[in-house]
Amino acid sequence: MKQYNLFGRKKQEEDSKYTSKIKAPIYEPKNKKPHIMELCDKTKTLRLIREINNSGLSIEEKSFLLDAARRHNVFNYEKIADYYAHSSKEMQKLMEHSALVIIDYDKALQYGYLKLSSEMSQQFLKEKTDEE
């Protein structure tokens, strides 16, 4: 039986510790809602923001760097899932729209969160068909 890696290339038998079978994890939320401040570690972001604000850069440059600094936030997705489970419907909806949680595969497709995955799957299938 031929085996392929993610990009459609044949795999060696000794590489078979990986599988293409997808089994979605099922998360059981805890009984306690975490404090919202536990959901995100902003330590590095806040340090960068202080440095940027204290710099002699132009307003435009600072604005750009401040936007970029926020990408250093570290999200705790286990706590986010617990928070989601104990939140209002409005909060849950907005968390879903921000892709903090993905509950429904169809909604994930609708919001564009699985586009890259879908494109990779199509490429994999095309390359697999081309090789056979």
Side-chain angles (χ1 to χ4, degrees), residues 66-84:
L66 290 170
D67 287 340
R70 289 179 184 86
R71 78 181 194 283
H72 294 285
N73 288 337
V74 178
F75 294 97
N76 183 324
Y77 288 100
E78 183 175 338
K79 289 190 181 210
I80 288 170
D82 289 337
Y83 193 88
Y84 172 89

Side-chain angles (χ1 to χ4, degrees), residues 86-113:
H86 299 284
S87 292
S88 68
K89 294 292 180 197
E90 181 179 30
M91 181 63 170
Q92 288 178 343
K93 177 182 168 186
L94 291 170
M95 290 177 80
E96 290 173 21
H97 287 189
S98 294
L100 289 167
V101 293
I102 297 178
I103 301 299
D104 182 290
Y105 182 80
D106 291 330
K107 282 185 184 177
L109 280 173
Q110 174 187 345
Y111 298 143
Y113 303 133

Side-chain angles (χ1 to χ4, degrees), residues 48-66:
L48 287 168
I49 288 172
R50 277 191 303 278
E51 289 178 29
I52 294 163
N53 285 333
N54 291 330
S55 74
L57 299 174
S58 71
I59 299 289
E60 293 84 8
E61 290 172 323
K62 284 183 179 183
S63 178
F64 169 74
L65 290 174
L66 290 170

